[in-house]
Amino acid sequence: MASSSSSSSPAAKRNGGYRNWAELPPELTSSILIRISPIEILQNAQKVCRSWRRVCIDPSMWRKIDLRNLDGLVYDLETMCRHAVDLSQGGLLEINIDDYTTTSLLTYIADRSSDLRSLGFVECGPVMSRGVIEAVMKLSMLEELQISYESIREQDLKLVGQSCPNLRTLKLYCMDNSEYCCDKVALAIAETMPGLRHLWLFRNGLSDTGLNAILECCPNLNVLDLHKCSNITLVGNMGN
């Protein structure tokens, strides 16, 4: 029984004795815990002992929240995400979430994270599209945005560009290569996002016309990633 009890305590056997992990300096504990997933922190780490809990609920632990690649977990991820956002106390700078995203969750994040710099998520279906744009419009400090969508209107992208003047990285994943992924989208980017430095387009139907507009209106663009954009011919000067 004694052996079983000691193995479950926050102490690790080393050199014939025990090191009490609860007595580590807070900055070292933080450096260790920040390497595990937010779910593990909320569900397990913060329950180990009082010293760990103090570290786990410190707002500095929640400047960045990554909730991707959590397949197999049975937790209520939206509730967990809201809890993590609350723990940041308004200091959240970067968040990546997966395909359980809802418009209410995005609104919750936007309303409590006005200093957010990076927002990444996937699978924005047509029902969510307007909610996504309304949430992003509240994030005037945003520098990086990643959206995967089925349909998005050029008017919506213009609102994003007008609301987020500091936007430097935009990643758009079009899931069905529809009519919405076309030169209208490219022209909206060109018109309202002149400060872009990195543009990533996947399965976008833009032509050379749309691409030229982006290149002419985004003078700071130094990384342009085009994947499965089959309507671009890249002839003449564009091909050099």
Side-chain angles (χ1 to χ4, degrees):
M1 292 296 293
S3 174
S4 174
S5 174
S6 64
S7 64
S8 61
S9 70
K13 191 171 184 180
R14 180 175 180 178
N15 296 328
Y18 285 92
R19 167 165 293 177
N20 191 345
W21 294 106
E23 296 178 355
L24 289 175
E27 59 272 17
L28 183 55
T29 302
S30 173
S31 178
I32 295 171
L33 295 181
I34 205 168
R35 302 171 192 274
I36 65 178
S37 78
I39 300 300
E40 291 173 320
I41 293 175
L42 295 175
Q43 286 293 308
N44 300 308
Q46 71 167 341
K47 300 175 182 179
V48 170
C49 59
R50 290 181 180 178
S51 63
W52 278 31
R53 176 167 173 76
R54 284 194 294 270
V55 171
C56 289
I57 65 175
D58 190 293
S60 65
M61 285 285 291
W62 303 97
R63 297 291 182 259
K64 177 179 178 180
I65 299 173
D66 193 342
L67 292 173
R68 297 170 297 180
N69 304 316
L70 298 176
D71 295 340
L73 293 178
V74 295
Y75 306 118
D76 183 342
L77 293 177
E78 180 165 343
T79 298
M80 291 289 180
C81 186
R82 288 173 182 248
H83 187 189
V85 170
D86 290 342
L87 288 172
S88 75
Q89 296 185 16
L92 183 62
L93 298 178
E94 178 180 344
I95 186 167
N96 291 286
I97 45 186
D98 224 324
D99 55 4
Y100 61 87
T101 312
T102 63
T103 53
S104 62
L105 176 58
L106 289 173
T107 299
Y108 192 88
I109 294 169
D111 287 342
R112 291 159 178 79
S113 310
S114 58
D115 289 334
L116 194 69
R117 300 297 199 276
S118 178
L119 173 62
F121 53 94
V122 298
E123 295 192 11
C124 165
V127 175
M128 280 188 57
S129 180
R130 187 59 194 173
V132 170
I133 301 305
E134 290 177 352
V136 171
M137 287 172 60
K138 300 177 181 180
L139 302 171
S140 61
M141 302 299 291
L142 206 63
E143 297 176 358
E144 180 173 348
L145 175 63
Q146 175 181 322
I147 304 178
S148 182
Y149 61 95
E150 292 178 7
S151 63
I152 192 167
R153 301 180 306 167
E154 65 273 18
Q155 296 96 320
D156 291 335
L157 273 182
K158 286 182 180 180
L159 287 174
V160 170
Q162 293 163 357
S163 303
C164 306
N166 298 318
L167 199 63
R168 298 294 179 263
T169 298
L170 178 66
K171 299 180 180 181
L172 295 179
Y173 301 69
C174 185
M175 293 185 286
D176 63 1
N177 202 21
S178 71
E179 61 186 272
Y180 296 98
C181 310
C182 61
D183 281 337
K184 290 182 179 180
V185 169
L187 293 173
I189 293 172
E191 181 179 333
T192 63
M193 304 179 190
L196 280 183
R197 297 175 183 172
H198 183 183
L199 177 61
W200 201 102
L201 298 177
F202 178 81
R203 201 181 287 155
N204 193 291
L206 82 166
S207 69
D208 289 356
T209 299
L211 180 56
N212 262 321
I214 290 173
L215 295 176
E216 290 175 2
C217 297
C218 301
N220 299 315
L221 196 66
N222 53 45
V223 178
L224 176 62
D225 293 328
L226 302 175
H227 297 263
K228 296 187 178 181
C229 298
S230 56
N231 291 334
I232 296 175
T233 58
L234 293 178
V235 296
N237 292 333
M238 292 178 61
N240 293 335

